[in-house]
Amino acid sequence: SFNLENIILAATIAVELNISTKSISEGIKNCINIDGRLHLVKNKNNEMIFLDYGHTPDAYLKVLKTLKDSFSSRPLKILFGAGGGRDKSKRPKMAEVVEKYSVECYLAPDNPRFEDIESINNDVIKGFSNENHHSFHDRKEALEFALTNLKSDEILIIFGKGTEEYQEINGTKHFYSDSDIIKEFYEN
């Protein structure tokens, strides 16, 4: 649904710019998924694992609603985190959305930047109303825990990093890849 909204908006702008409907139609037909945006990760066990760049309550809501609408019988598990040095008011709202759609969720560092991970996690945790979450200080540890506990009928959505290959901590970009960790996990 969020892709449809984006296509409608782009088509509307194109019409206003006097671009032909034929060109608009061809453009829509040639659309491809963006890596990291509701990106299905291939793995040996054929588990349903998605990566998504989403990092706001609204982005979470749109992606999770799409997954629930498409796979209504499959429980969702969600790994997410809030970035440091960003709007702190959205952190508990992220937890509220995640909790509403998940049977279990994993709070893990995204890009803490210059902010303390414990402080970020505490801000997020304020939005939870039950105990279906696990909090981690290390994203790799959180992801491996989530993968270990993923059942074949469940879906895991991993928010925040998409296909990025770094994590920003205290002004330094460290190599980090959710995709690589998933691949290593299933190879071992």
Side-chain angles (χ1 to χ4, degrees):
S1 62
F2 59 85
N3 282 335
L4 180 59
E5 289 175 16
N6 290 335
I7 289 170
I8 290 170
L9 179 60
T12 302
I13 292 168
V15 167
E16 289 297 315
L17 294 172
N18 295 318
I19 295 172
S20 74
T21 54
K22 182 180 179 190
S23 293
I24 295 169
S25 178
E26 285 299 311
I28 292 170
K29 287 178 188 172
N30 291 318
C31 284
I32 58 171
N33 286 348
I34 298 169
D35 281 346
R37 188 70 175 135
L38 205 52
H39 178 101
L40 181 62
V41 179
K42 304 273 187 218
N43 61 78
K44 283 184 175 181
N45 291 7
N46 291 319
E47 305 284 3
M48 288 196 78
I49 302 169
F50 292 93
L51 300 176
D52 194 88
Y53 285 117
H55 55 274
T56 66
D58 183 59
Y60 288 5
L61 183 63
K62 288 179 178 173
V63 168
L64 295 172
K65 187 171 178 349
T66 295
L67 287 173
K68 266 301 187 196
D69 290 348
S70 299
F71 305 102
S72 59
S73 66
R74 297 185 81 162
L76 295 179
K77 291 187 172 181
I78 303 164
L79 186 144
F80 76 110
R86 300 295 188 260
D87 182 2
K88 292 181 181 187
S89 69
K90 73 179 180 181
R91 293 175 181 172
K93 295 173 186 169
M94 295 162 75
E96 290 171 15
V97 172
V98 165
E99 184 176 72
K100 178 180 177 184
Y101 284 90
S102 67
V103 295
E104 189 169 37
C105 49
Y106 314 96
L107 177 56
D110 189 320
N111 287 320
R113 295 179 182 83
F114 292 98
E115 202 170 339
D116 178 62
I117 293 168
E118 184 75 24
S119 176
I120 294 170
N121 285 354
N122 286 337
D123 288 343
V124 174
I125 288 169
K126 292 174 186 171
F128 290 122
S129 63
N130 63 44
E131 297 297 321
N132 75 333
H133 64 277
H134 305 271
S135 182
F136 295 87
H137 289 88
D138 180 271
R139 190 172 177 96
K140 180 179 180 183
E141 180 184 336
L143 181 50
E144 288 173 343
F145 183 86
L147 293 169
T148 299
N149 291 288
L150 185 63
K151 297 176 184 153
S152 61
D153 67 326
E154 297 172 329
I155 296 172
L156 176 62
I157 177 77
I158 303 163
F159 280 120
K161 305 299 292 167
T163 55
E164 287 178 357
E165 293 190 331
Y166 68 89
Q167 194 172 29
E168 191 177 338
I169 303 170
N170 293 322
T172 303
K173 287 186 176 182
H174 301 271
F175 179 79
Y176 177 87
S177 168
D178 286 330
S179 297
D180 285 358
I181 291 167
I182 294 165
K183 182 180 175 185
E184 289 170 16
F185 178 87
Y186 285 106
E187 285 176 353
N188 295 327

